Amino acid sequence: GVLVQVYPTDSEDYLPADLQLLLLSESGVTLREVTARRADVCLQLKFSGEQGEKFSIKLALEEANVIEDFVI
């Protein structure tokens, strides 16, 4: 299993409201998505996959986004 967690920076107590954490397939299709609410201290996605499987994690807030690619 894979567990992806997002926490606020040291200078912040909470995640920004509407911050999105997305699990993307190798082809870029959104498989799962969670969105921070006001006063959330953590976002997480838990999923399973097979060895060698590729996926991406995307963090998005308003117009800004970051995508990182991974292999199990």
Side-chain angles (χ1 to χ4, degrees):
V2 178
L3 176 63
V4 178
Q5 296 179 318
V6 178
Y7 290 94
T9 61
D10 291 335
S11 62
E12 300 293 327
D13 293 328
Y14 304 105
L15 292 169
D18 299 324
L19 175 68
Q20 294 179 299
L21 171 61
L22 300 98
L23 170 63
L24 307 176
S25 70
E26 184 176 1
S27 62
V29 174
T30 300
L31 302 173
R32 302 216 12 226
E33 176 182 340
V34 290
T35 302
R37 298 166 297 188
R38 199 172 178 169
D40 277 347
V41 295
C42 176
L43 280 179
Q44 67 180 26
L45 284 174
K46 187 175 183 178
F47 58 95
S48 60
E50 297 185 21
Q51 187 173 3
E53 190 172 353
K54 297 178 182 181
F55 67 94
S56 298
I57 295 295
K58 178 178 180 179
L59 285 173
L61 181 62
E62 297 174 3
E63 300 300 317
N65 64 68
V66 176
I67 298 174
E68 291 287 332
D69 300 323
F70 297 92
V71 179
I72 296 176

Short mmCIF file of all heavy atoms in Angstrom, two decimals:
data_model
loop_
_atom_site.label_atom_id
_atom_site.label_comp_id
_atom_site.label_asym_id
_atom_site.label_seq_id
_atom_site.Cartn_x
_atom_site.Cartn_y
_atom_site.Cartn_z
N GLY A 1 0.81 -1.19 0.00
CA GLY A 1 0.00 0.00 0.00
C GLY A 1 0.85 1.25 0.00
O GLY A 1 2.01 1.23 0.42
N VAL A 2 0.28 2.32 -0.46
CA VAL A 2 0.94 3.63 -0.52
C VAL A 2 0.08 4.63 0.26
O VAL A 2 -1.15 4.65 0.10
CB VAL A 2 1.10 4.11 -1.98
CG1 VAL A 2 1.74 5.48 -2.03
CG2 VAL A 2 1.89 3.10 -2.80
N LEU A 3 0.73 5.44 1.07
CA LEU A 3 0.05 6.50 1.81
C LEU A 3 0.75 7.81 1.51
O LEU A 3 1.95 7.95 1.76
CB LEU A 3 0.09 6.22 3.32
CG LEU A 3 -0.52 7.29 4.22
CD1 LEU A 3 -2.01 7.46 3.94
CD2 LEU A 3 -0.27 6.95 5.68
N VAL A 4 0.01 8.75 0.94
CA VAL A 4 0.53 10.09 0.64
C VAL A 4 -0.11 11.07 1.61
O VAL A 4 -1.34 11.10 1.73
CB VAL A 4 0.20 10.50 -0.82
CG1 VAL A 4 0.70 11.90 -1.10
CG2 VAL A 4 0.77 9.49 -1.80
N GLN A 5 0.72 11.84 2.30
CA GLN A 5 0.22 12.82 3.26
C GLN A 5 0.80 14.19 2.96
O GLN A 5 1.96 14.31 2.58
CB GLN A 5 0.59 12.42 4.69
CG GLN A 5 -0.06 11.11 5.12
CD GLN A 5 0.34 10.73 6.53
OE1 GLN A 5 1.49 10.84 6.91
NE2 GLN A 5 -0.63 10.27 7.30
N VAL A 6 -0.01 15.22 3.18
CA VAL A 6 0.41 16.61 3.00
C VAL A 6 0.13 17.35 4.30
O VAL A 6 -0.98 17.29 4.83
CB VAL A 6 -0.35 17.29 1.83
CG1 VAL A 6 0.06 18.74 1.69
CG2 VAL A 6 -0.14 16.52 0.55
N TYR A 7 1.16 18.05 4.79
CA TYR A 7 1.04 18.82 6.02
C TYR A 7 1.39 20.27 5.74
O TYR A 7 2.14 20.55 4.80
CB TYR A 7 2.00 18.28 7.09
CG TYR A 7 1.60 16.93 7.62
CD1 TYR A 7 2.12 15.76 7.08
CD2 TYR A 7 0.69 16.81 8.66
CE1 TYR A 7 1.75 14.52 7.56
CE2 TYR A 7 0.31 15.58 9.15
CZ TYR A 7 0.86 14.43 8.60
OH TYR A 7 0.48 13.21 9.07
N PRO A 8 0.93 21.20 6.58
CA PRO A 8 1.31 22.60 6.41
C PRO A 8 2.80 22.80 6.71
O PRO A 8 3.42 21.98 7.37
CB PRO A 8 0.44 23.34 7.42
CG PRO A 8 -0.01 22.32 8.39
CD PRO A 8 0.02 21.00 7.70
N THR A 9 3.34 23.90 6.22
CA THR A 9 4.73 24.23 6.51
C THR A 9 4.87 24.57 7.99
O THR A 9 3.88 24.80 8.69
CB THR A 9 5.19 25.42 5.66
OG1 THR A 9 4.38 26.55 5.98
CG2 THR A 9 5.11 25.11 4.18
N ASP A 10 6.10 24.65 8.45
CA ASP A 10 6.35 24.94 9.86
C ASP A 10 5.75 26.26 10.31
O ASP A 10 5.40 26.43 11.48
CB ASP A 10 7.85 24.96 10.14
CG ASP A 10 8.46 23.56 10.04
OD1 ASP A 10 7.72 22.57 10.24
OD2 ASP A 10 9.67 23.47 9.77
N SER A 11 5.62 27.21 9.40
CA SER A 11 5.13 28.54 9.77
C SER A 11 3.60 28.63 9.77
O SER A 11 3.04 29.64 10.16
CB SER A 11 5.70 29.60 8.84
OG SER A 11 5.28 29.35 7.51
N GLU A 12 2.93 27.58 9.33
CA GLU A 12 1.46 27.58 9.25
C GLU A 12 0.88 26.48 10.15
O GLU A 12 1.47 25.42 10.30
CB GLU A 12 1.00 27.33 7.81
CG GLU A 12 1.47 28.36 6.82
CD GLU A 12 0.88 29.73 7.04
OE1 GLU A 12 -0.28 29.83 7.49
OE2 GLU A 12 1.58 30.72 6.78
N ASP A 13 -0.30 26.75 10.71
CA ASP A 13 -0.97 25.74 11.53
C ASP A 13 -1.89 24.85 10.71
O ASP A 13 -2.14 23.71 11.09
CB ASP A 13 -1.80 26.43 12.63
CG ASP A 13 -0.92 27.13 13.65
OD1 ASP A 13 0.20 26.65 13.92
OD2 ASP A 13 -1.35 28.17 14.18
N TYR A 14 -2.41 25.39 9.60
CA TYR A 14 -3.40 24.67 8.79
C TYR A 14 -3.03 24.71 7.32
O TYR A 14 -2.32 25.61 6.87
CB TYR A 14 -4.79 25.30 8.96
CG TYR A 14 -5.24 25.36 10.39
CD1 TYR A 14 -5.24 26.56 11.09
CD2 TYR A 14 -5.65 24.20 11.05
CE1 TYR A 14 -5.64 26.62 12.41
CE2 TYR A 14 -6.05 24.25 12.38
CZ TYR A 14 -6.04 25.46 13.05
OH TYR A 14 -6.43 25.51 14.35
N LEU A 15 -3.54 23.76 6.58
CA LEU A 15 -3.40 23.77 5.12
C LEU A 15 -4.29 24.86 4.54
O LEU A 15 -5.33 25.19 5.12
CB LEU A 15 -3.81 22.42 4.53
CG LEU A 15 -2.89 21.25 4.86
CD1 LEU A 15 -3.56 19.94 4.43
CD2 LEU A 15 -1.56 21.40 4.17
N PRO A 16 -3.93 25.40 3.39
CA PRO A 16 -4.81 26.38 2.75
C PRO A 16 -6.14 25.72 2.36
O PRO A 16 -6.15 24.61 1.84
CB PRO A 16 -4.04 26.80 1.50
CG PRO A 16 -2.65 26.34 1.68
CD PRO A 16 -2.70 25.19 2.62
N ALA A 17 -7.24 26.39 2.64
CA ALA A 17 -8.55 25.88 2.22
C ALA A 17 -8.55 25.74 0.70
O ALA A 17 -7.96 26.56 -0.01
CB ALA A 17 -9.65 26.83 2.66
N ASP A 18 -9.15 24.68 0.21
CA ASP A 18 -9.28 24.37 -1.21
C ASP A 18 -8.01 23.80 -1.85
O ASP A 18 -7.97 23.61 -3.06
CB ASP A 18 -9.78 25.58 -2.03
CG ASP A 18 -11.15 26.04 -1.57
OD1 ASP A 18 -11.97 25.17 -1.21
OD2 ASP A 18 -11.40 27.25 -1.56
N LEU A 19 -6.98 23.53 -1.04
CA LEU A 19 -5.82 22.82 -1.57
C LEU A 19 -6.26 21.42 -1.99
O LEU A 19 -6.94 20.73 -1.23
CB LEU A 19 -4.72 22.71 -0.51
CG LEU A 19 -3.49 21.89 -0.90
CD1 LEU A 19 -2.70 22.59 -2.01
CD2 LEU A 19 -2.61 21.64 0.31
N GLN A 20 -5.91 21.01 -3.19
CA GLN A 20 -6.31 19.70 -3.70
C GLN A 20 -5.10 18.78 -3.79
O GLN A 20 -4.03 19.17 -4.22
CB GLN A 20 -6.92 19.83 -5.10
CG GLN A 20 -8.22 20.59 -5.11
CD GLN A 20 -8.75 20.69 -6.52
OE1 GLN A 20 -8.10 21.26 -7.39
NE2 GLN A 20 -9.92 20.12 -6.74
N LEU A 21 -5.32 17.53 -3.38
CA LEU A 21 -4.35 16.45 -3.52
C LEU A 21 -4.97 15.43 -4.45
O LEU A 21 -6.05 14.91 -4.17
CB LEU A 21 -4.05 15.83 -2.15
CG LEU A 21 -3.22 14.55 -2.11
CD1 LEU A 21 -1.83 14.78 -2.70
CD2 LEU A 21 -3.12 14.03 -0.69
N LEU A 22 -4.32 15.18 -5.58
CA LEU A 22 -4.88 14.29 -6.60
C LEU A 22 -3.93 13.15 -6.91
O LEU A 22 -2.72 13.34 -7.00
CB LEU A 22 -5.15 15.05 -7.90
CG LEU A 22 -6.11 16.21 -7.81
CD1 LEU A 22 -5.37 17.51 -7.68
CD2 LEU A 22 -7.01 16.25 -9.00
N LEU A 23 -4.50 11.98 -7.10
CA LEU A 23 -3.78 10.81 -7.58
C LEU A 23 -4.09 10.69 -9.07
O LEU A 23 -5.25 10.63 -9.46
CB LEU A 23 -4.25 9.55 -6.85
CG LEU A 23 -3.76 8.21 -7.40
CD1 LEU A 23 -2.25 8.09 -7.31
CD2 LEU A 23 -4.45 7.07 -6.67
N LEU A 24 -3.03 10.68 -9.88
CA LEU A 24 -3.19 10.60 -11.33
C LEU A 24 -2.63 9.29 -11.86
O LEU A 24 -1.59 8.80 -11.38
CB LEU A 24 -2.46 11.75 -12.01
CG LEU A 24 -2.78 13.17 -11.54
CD1 LEU A 24 -1.89 14.17 -12.25
CD2 LEU A 24 -4.24 13.49 -11.75
N SER A 25 -3.29 8.72 -12.84
CA SER A 25 -2.78 7.53 -13.51
C SER A 25 -1.57 7.91 -14.35
O SER A 25 -1.26 9.09 -14.54
CB SER A 25 -3.86 6.91 -14.41
OG SER A 25 -4.11 7.76 -15.52
N GLU A 26 -0.91 6.90 -14.89
CA GLU A 26 0.25 7.14 -15.75
C GLU A 26 -0.11 8.03 -16.95
O GLU A 26 0.68 8.84 -17.40
CB GLU A 26 0.81 5.81 -16.25
CG GLU A 26 2.06 5.94 -17.07
CD GLU A 26 2.64 4.60 -17.47
OE1 GLU A 26 2.08 3.55 -17.13
OE2 GLU A 26 3.68 4.62 -18.15
N SER A 27 -1.36 7.93 -17.42
CA SER A 27 -1.81 8.73 -18.56
C SER A 27 -2.36 10.10 -18.15
O SER A 27 -2.79 10.87 -19.00
CB SER A 27 -2.85 7.96 -19.36
OG SER A 27 -3.99 7.70 -18.56
N GLY A 28 -2.36 10.40 -16.84
CA GLY A 28 -2.80 11.72 -16.38
C GLY A 28 -4.25 11.82 -15.97
O GLY A 28 -4.73 12.90 -15.65
N VAL A 29 -4.96 10.70 -15.96
CA VAL A 29 -6.37 10.68 -15.55
C VAL A 29 -6.46 10.73 -14.02
O VAL A 29 -5.73 10.02 -13.33
CB VAL A 29 -7.08 9.42 -16.08
CG1 VAL A 29 -8.50 9.31 -15.55
CG2 VAL A 29 -7.06 9.40 -17.60
N THR A 30 -7.34 11.59 -13.49
CA THR A 30 -7.53 11.68 -12.05
C THR A 30 -8.24 10.43 -11.55
O THR A 30 -9.35 10.12 -11.97
CB THR A 30 -8.35 12.93 -11.67
OG1 THR A 30 -7.65 14.09 -12.12
CG2 THR A 30 -8.57 13.02 -10.18
N LEU A 31 -7.59 9.72 -10.62
CA LEU A 31 -8.16 8.51 -10.04
C LEU A 31 -8.83 8.78 -8.70
O LEU A 31 -9.87 8.20 -8.40
CB LEU A 31 -7.07 7.44 -9.85
CG LEU A 31 -6.32 7.03 -11.12
CD1 LEU A 31 -5.16 6.11 -10.76
CD2 LEU A 31 -7.27 6.36 -12.10
N ARG A 32 -8.23 9.64 -7.90
CA ARG A 32 -8.79 10.01 -6.60
C ARG A 32 -8.40 11.46 -6.32
O ARG A 32 -7.39 11.95 -6.81
CB ARG A 32 -8.23 9.11 -5.49
CG ARG A 32 -8.53 7.67 -5.78
CD ARG A 32 -8.84 6.74 -4.66
NE ARG A 32 -9.12 7.25 -3.37
CZ ARG A 32 -8.58 6.75 -2.26
NH1 ARG A 32 -7.72 5.77 -2.33
NH2 ARG A 32 -8.91 7.23 -1.08
N GLU A 33 -9.21 12.09 -5.48
CA GLU A 33 -8.98 13.50 -5.17
C GLU A 33 -9.52 13.82 -3.79
O GLU A 33 -10.60 13.35 -3.42
CB GLU A 33 -9.70 14.34 -6.22
CG GLU A 33 -9.65 15.81 -6.01
CD GLU A 33 -10.43 16.57 -7.08
OE1 GLU A 33 -10.69 16.01 -8.16
OE2 GLU A 33 -10.79 17.72 -6.81
N VAL A 34 -8.77 14.60 -3.02
CA VAL A 34 -9.25 15.13 -1.75
C VAL A 34 -8.95 16.62 -1.72
O VAL A 34 -7.97 17.08 -2.30
CB VAL A 34 -8.63 14.42 -0.53
CG1 VAL A 34 -9.15 13.01 -0.41
CG2 VAL A 34 -7.13 14.44 -0.56
N THR A 35 -9.80 17.37 -1.03
CA THR A 35 -9.67 18.83 -0.96
C THR A 35 -9.66 19.27 0.49
O THR A 35 -10.51 18.83 1.28
CB THR A 35 -10.83 19.50 -1.71
OG1 THR A 35 -10.83 19.05 -3.07
CG2 THR A 35 -10.70 21.02 -1.69
N ALA A 36 -8.72 20.13 0.84
CA ALA A 36 -8.63 20.65 2.20
C ALA A 36 -9.79 21.59 2.49
O ALA A 36 -10.19 22.38 1.64
CB ALA A 36 -7.31 21.38 2.40
N ARG A 37 -10.30 21.45 3.69
CA ARG A 37 -11.30 22.37 4.18
C ARG A 37 -10.64 23.34 5.14
O ARG A 37 -9.47 23.20 5.46
CB ARG A 37 -12.41 21.60 4.91
CG ARG A 37 -13.14 20.63 4.00
CD ARG A 37 -13.96 19.69 4.81
NE ARG A 37 -13.01 18.92 5.63
CZ ARG A 37 -13.34 17.89 6.37
NH1 ARG A 37 -14.56 17.48 6.43
NH2 ARG A 37 -12.43 17.25 7.09
N ARG A 38 -11.37 24.28 5.57
CA ARG A 38 -10.86 25.25 6.53
C ARG A 38 -10.42 24.52 7.80
O ARG A 38 -11.14 23.66 8.30
CB ARG A 38 -11.98 26.21 6.86
CG ARG A 38 -11.56 27.47 7.45
CD ARG A 38 -12.77 28.35 7.51
NE ARG A 38 -12.40 29.61 8.14
CZ ARG A 38 -13.17 30.64 8.14
NH1 ARG A 38 -14.34 30.59 7.55
NH2 ARG A 38 -12.78 31.73 8.72
N ALA A 39 -9.24 24.83 8.28
CA ALA A 39 -8.67 24.29 9.52
C ALA A 39 -8.23 22.82 9.42
O ALA A 39 -8.08 22.17 10.43
CB ALA A 39 -9.62 24.48 10.70
N ASP A 40 -8.00 22.29 8.22
CA ASP A 40 -7.44 20.95 8.08
C ASP A 40 -5.94 21.01 8.33
O ASP A 40 -5.25 21.92 7.86
CB ASP A 40 -7.67 20.38 6.68
CG ASP A 40 -9.04 19.74 6.51
OD1 ASP A 40 -9.73 19.52 7.53
OD2 ASP A 40 -9.41 19.45 5.36
N VAL A 41 -5.43 20.03 9.08
CA VAL A 41 -4.01 19.98 9.37
C VAL A 41 -3.29 18.93 8.52
O VAL A 41 -2.07 18.83 8.56
CB VAL A 41 -3.73 19.72 10.87
CG1 VAL A 41 -4.23 20.89 11.70
CG2 VAL A 41 -4.36 18.43 11.31
N CYS A 42 -4.06 18.15 7.75
CA CYS A 42 -3.45 17.10 6.94
C CYS A 42 -4.41 16.68 5.83
O CYS A 42 -5.63 16.69 6.02
CB CYS A 42 -3.14 15.89 7.82
SG CYS A 42 -2.50 14.46 6.95
N LEU A 43 -3.85 16.34 4.68
CA LEU A 43 -4.60 15.68 3.60
C LEU A 43 -3.90 14.36 3.35
O LEU A 43 -2.67 14.27 3.44
CB LEU A 43 -4.54 16.48 2.30
CG LEU A 43 -5.45 17.67 2.13
CD1 LEU A 43 -5.19 18.32 0.76
CD2 LEU A 43 -6.90 17.27 2.24
N GLN A 44 -4.67 13.31 3.05
CA GLN A 44 -4.02 12.05 2.74
C GLN A 44 -4.83 11.22 1.76
O GLN A 44 -6.04 11.33 1.68
CB GLN A 44 -3.71 11.25 3.99
CG GLN A 44 -4.90 10.73 4.75
CD GLN A 44 -4.47 9.95 5.99
OE1 GLN A 44 -3.40 10.16 6.54
NE2 GLN A 44 -5.31 9.05 6.43
N LEU A 45 -4.08 10.43 1.00
CA LEU A 45 -4.65 9.44 0.08
C LEU A 45 -3.96 8.12 0.36
O LEU A 45 -2.73 8.07 0.47
CB LEU A 45 -4.38 9.82 -1.38
CG LEU A 45 -5.20 10.92 -2.00
CD1 LEU A 45 -4.68 11.24 -3.40
CD2 LEU A 45 -6.66 10.51 -2.08
N LYS A 46 -4.74 7.07 0.48
CA LYS A 46 -4.20 5.74 0.68
C LYS A 46 -4.69 4.88 -0.47
O LYS A 46 -5.88 4.87 -0.79
CB LYS A 46 -4.67 5.17 2.02
CG LYS A 46 -4.03 3.88 2.39
CD LYS A 46 -4.45 3.44 3.78
CE LYS A 46 -3.75 2.17 4.17
NZ LYS A 46 -4.10 1.74 5.53
N PHE A 47 -3.76 4.16 -1.10
CA PHE A 47 -4.13 3.33 -2.23
C PHE A 47 -3.12 2.20 -2.37
O PHE A 47 -2.07 2.21 -1.71
CB PHE A 47 -4.23 4.15 -3.52
CG PHE A 47 -2.97 4.88 -3.88
CD1 PHE A 47 -2.06 4.32 -4.77
CD2 PHE A 47 -2.69 6.12 -3.34
CE1 PHE A 47 -0.90 4.99 -5.10
CE2 PHE A 47 -1.53 6.80 -3.68
CZ PHE A 47 -0.64 6.23 -4.56
N SER A 48 -3.43 1.25 -3.21
CA SER A 48 -2.52 0.15 -3.45
C SER A 48 -2.18 0.08 -4.93
O SER A 48 -2.88 0.65 -5.76
CB SER A 48 -3.14 -1.17 -2.98
OG SER A 48 -4.34 -1.42 -3.68
N GLY A 49 -1.11 -0.60 -5.22
CA GLY A 49 -0.68 -0.77 -6.60
C GLY A 49 0.29 -1.93 -6.68
O GLY A 49 0.61 -2.56 -5.67
N GLU A 50 0.73 -2.19 -7.87
CA GLU A 50 1.65 -3.30 -8.09
C GLU A 50 3.05 -2.78 -8.39
O GLU A 50 3.21 -1.66 -8.90
CB GLU A 50 1.15 -4.15 -9.25
CG GLU A 50 -0.20 -4.80 -8.98
CD GLU A 50 -0.64 -5.73 -10.07
OE1 GLU A 50 0.23 -6.19 -10.85
OE2 GLU A 50 -1.84 -6.00 -10.15
N GLN A 51 4.04 -3.60 -8.09
CA GLN A 51 5.43 -3.22 -8.33
C GLN A 51 5.61 -2.82 -9.80
O GLN A 51 5.12 -3.50 -10.70
CB GLN A 51 6.35 -4.37 -7.99
CG GLN A 51 7.81 -4.00 -8.06
CD GLN A 51 8.72 -5.11 -7.57
OE1 GLN A 51 8.28 -6.19 -7.22
NE2 GLN A 51 9.99 -4.83 -7.53
N GLY A 52 6.28 -1.70 -10.01
CA GLY A 52 6.50 -1.18 -11.35
C GLY A 52 5.42 -0.26 -11.86
O GLY A 52 5.59 0.39 -12.89
N GLU A 53 4.30 -0.19 -11.15
CA GLU A 53 3.19 0.68 -11.58
C GLU A 53 3.58 2.15 -11.41
O GLU A 53 4.14 2.54 -10.39
CB GLU A 53 1.95 0.37 -10.76
CG GLU A 53 0.70 1.04 -11.26
CD GLU A 53 -0.55 0.54 -10.52
OE1 GLU A 53 -0.47 -0.40 -9.73
OE2 GLU A 53 -1.60 1.15 -10.76
N LYS A 54 3.26 2.96 -12.40
CA LYS A 54 3.57 4.39 -12.38
C LYS A 54 2.32 5.19 -12.02
O LYS A 54 1.22 4.84 -12.42
CB LYS A 54 4.10 4.84 -13.74
CG LYS A 54 5.39 4.18 -14.13
CD LYS A 54 5.84 4.62 -15.50
CE LYS A 54 7.13 3.90 -15.90
NZ LYS A 54 7.61 4.33 -17.22
N PHE A 55 2.53 6.27 -11.26
CA PHE A 55 1.44 7.18 -10.91
C PHE A 55 2.04 8.54 -10.64
O PHE A 55 3.25 8.69 -10.50
CB PHE A 55 0.66 6.66 -9.70
CG PHE A 55 1.45 6.66 -8.41
CD1 PHE A 55 1.38 7.74 -7.54
CD2 PHE A 55 2.26 5.59 -8.07
CE1 PHE A 55 2.10 7.74 -6.36
CE2 PHE A 55 2.98 5.57 -6.90
CZ PHE A 55 2.91 6.65 -6.03
N SER A 56 1.19 9.55 -10.56
CA SER A 56 1.63 10.91 -10.24
C SER A 56 0.77 11.46 -9.12
O SER A 56 -0.39 11.08 -8.96
CB SER A 56 1.51 11.82 -11.47
OG SER A 56 2.33 11.36 -12.51
N ILE A 57 1.37 12.36 -8.36
CA ILE A 57 0.66 13.09 -7.32
C ILE A 57 0.66 14.56 -7.73
O ILE A 57 1.71 15.11 -8.10
CB ILE A 57 1.34 12.92 -5.95
CG1 ILE A 57 1.28 11.46 -5.50
CG2 ILE A 57 0.74 13.86 -4.91
CD1 ILE A 57 -0.13 10.93 -5.23
N LYS A 58 -0.51 15.16 -7.66
CA LYS A 58 -0.64 16.57 -8.02
C LYS A 58 -1.18 17.34 -6.82
O LYS A 58 -2.15 16.92 -6.19
CB LYS A 58 -1.61 16.71 -9.19
CG LYS A 58 -1.85 18.14 -9.63
CD LYS A 58 -2.78 18.19 -10.84
CE LYS A 58 -3.06 19.58 -11.30
NZ LYS A 58 -3.95 19.60 -12.49
N LEU A 59 -0.55 18.46 -6.52
CA LEU A 59 -1.06 19.41 -5.54
C LEU A 59 -1.48 20.65 -6.31
O LEU A 59 -0.71 21.16 -7.13
CB LEU A 59 0.01 19.80 -4.52
CG LEU A 59 0.34 18.77 -3.46
CD1 LEU A 59 1.53 19.22 -2.63
CD2 LEU A 59 -0.85 18.52 -2.58
N ALA A 60 -2.70 21.11 -6.06
CA ALA A 60 -3.22 22.25 -6.80
C ALA A 60 -3.92 23.22 -5.85
O ALA A 60 -4.67 22.80 -4.96
CB ALA A 60 -4.19 21.79 -7.88
N LEU A 61 -3.64 24.49 -6.05
CA LEU A 61 -4.29 25.55 -5.29
C LEU A 61 -4.46 26.73 -6.22
O LEU A 61 -3.46 27.30 -6.69
CB LEU A 61 -3.47 25.94 -4.06
CG LEU A 61 -4.09 27.02 -3.18
CD1 LEU A 61 -5.42 26.56 -2.59
CD2 LEU A 61 -3.12 27.40 -2.07
N GLU A 62 -5.69 27.06 -6.52
CA GLU A 62 -6.03 28.12 -7.47
C GLU A 62 -5.31 27.85 -8.79
O GLU A 62 -5.48 26.79 -9.35
CB GLU A 62 -5.71 29.49 -6.86
CG GLU A 62 -6.53 29.78 -5.63
CD GLU A 62 -6.13 31.07 -4.94
OE1 GLU A 62 -5.25 31.80 -5.44
OE2 GLU A 62 -6.72 31.35 -3.89
N GLU A 63 -4.48 28.75 -9.26
CA GLU A 63 -3.81 28.58 -10.55
C GLU A 63 -2.47 27.83 -10.44
O GLU A 63 -1.89 27.46 -11.45
CB GLU A 63 -3.57 29.93 -11.20
CG GLU A 63 -4.84 30.71 -11.48
CD GLU A 63 -5.79 29.98 -12.41
OE1 GLU A 63 -5.33 29.40 -13.41
OE2 GLU A 63 -7.01 29.98 -12.12
N ALA A 64 -1.99 27.61 -9.22
CA ALA A 64 -0.69 26.95 -9.02
C ALA A 64 -0.88 25.45 -8.86
O ALA A 64 -1.84 24.99 -8.24
CB ALA A 64 -0.02 27.52 -7.78
N ASN A 65 0.05 24.68 -9.44
CA ASN A 65 0.02 23.24 -9.22
C ASN A 65 1.42 22.66 -9.40
O ASN A 65 2.26 23.23 -10.09
CB ASN A 65 -1.00 22.54 -10.11
CG ASN A 65 -0.68 22.65 -11.57
OD1 ASN A 65 0.30 22.09 -12.03
ND2 ASN A 65 -1.51 23.37 -12.31
N VAL A 66 1.63 21.54 -8.73
CA VAL A 66 2.89 20.80 -8.79
C VAL A 66 2.54 19.34 -9.00
O VAL A 66 1.65 18.81 -8.33
CB VAL A 66 3.69 20.96 -7.47
CG1 VAL A 66 4.95 20.11 -7.50
CG2 VAL A 66 4.03 22.41 -7.21
N ILE A 67 3.26 18.70 -9.93
CA ILE A 67 3.04 17.28 -10.20
C ILE A 67 4.37 16.55 -10.04
O ILE A 67 5.39 16.99 -10.58
CB ILE A 67 2.50 17.05 -11.62
CG1 ILE A 67 1.15 17.74 -11.80
CG2 ILE A 67 2.38 15.55 -11.91
CD1 ILE A 67 0.60 17.68 -13.21
N GLU A 68 4.34 15.47 -9.28
CA GLU A 68 5.52 14.61 -9.11
C GLU A 68 5.16 13.20 -9.58
O GLU A 68 4.08 12.69 -9.26
CB GLU A 68 5.96 14.56 -7.65
CG GLU A 68 6.53 15.85 -7.14
CD GLU A 68 7.92 16.16 -7.67
OE1 GLU A 68 8.67 15.21 -8.00
OE2 GLU A 68 8.26 17.36 -7.75
N ASP A 69 6.07 12.58 -10.32
CA ASP A 69 5.86 11.23 -10.84
C ASP A 69 6.56 10.22 -9.94
O ASP A 69 7.65 10.48 -9.42
CB ASP A 69 6.42 11.11 -12.26
CG ASP A 69 5.76 12.09 -13.21
OD1 ASP A 69 4.54 12.32 -13.09
OD2 ASP A 69 6.47 12.62 -14.09
N PHE A 70 5.93 9.03 -9.79
CA PHE A 70 6.45 7.98 -8.93
C PHE A 70 6.29 6.62 -9.60
O PHE A 70 5.46 6.45 -10.48
CB PHE A 70 5.70 7.94 -7.60
CG PHE A 70 5.84 9.20 -6.80
CD1 PHE A 70 4.92 10.22 -6.93
CD2 PHE A 70 6.89 9.35 -5.90
CE1 PHE A 70 5.05 11.39 -6.19
CE2 PHE A 70 7.02 10.52 -5.16
CZ PHE A 70 6.10 11.54 -5.31
N VAL A 71 7.07 5.66 -9.13
CA VAL A 71 6.97 4.26 -9.54
C VAL A 71 6.97 3.42 -8.27
O VAL A 71 7.82 3.62 -7.39
CB VAL A 71 8.15 3.84 -10.44
CG1 VAL A 71 8.03 2.37 -10.82
CG2 VAL A 71 8.22 4.71 -11.67
N ILE A 72 6.03 2.50 -8.17
CA ILE A 72 5.96 1.61 -7.00
C ILE A 72 7.06 0.57 -7.09
O ILE A 72 7.29 -0.01 -8.11
CB ILE A 72 4.58 0.93 -6.90
CG1 ILE A 72 3.51 1.99 -6.69
CG2 ILE A 72 4.56 -0.10 -5.79
CD1 ILE A 72 2.10 1.48 -6.67
#
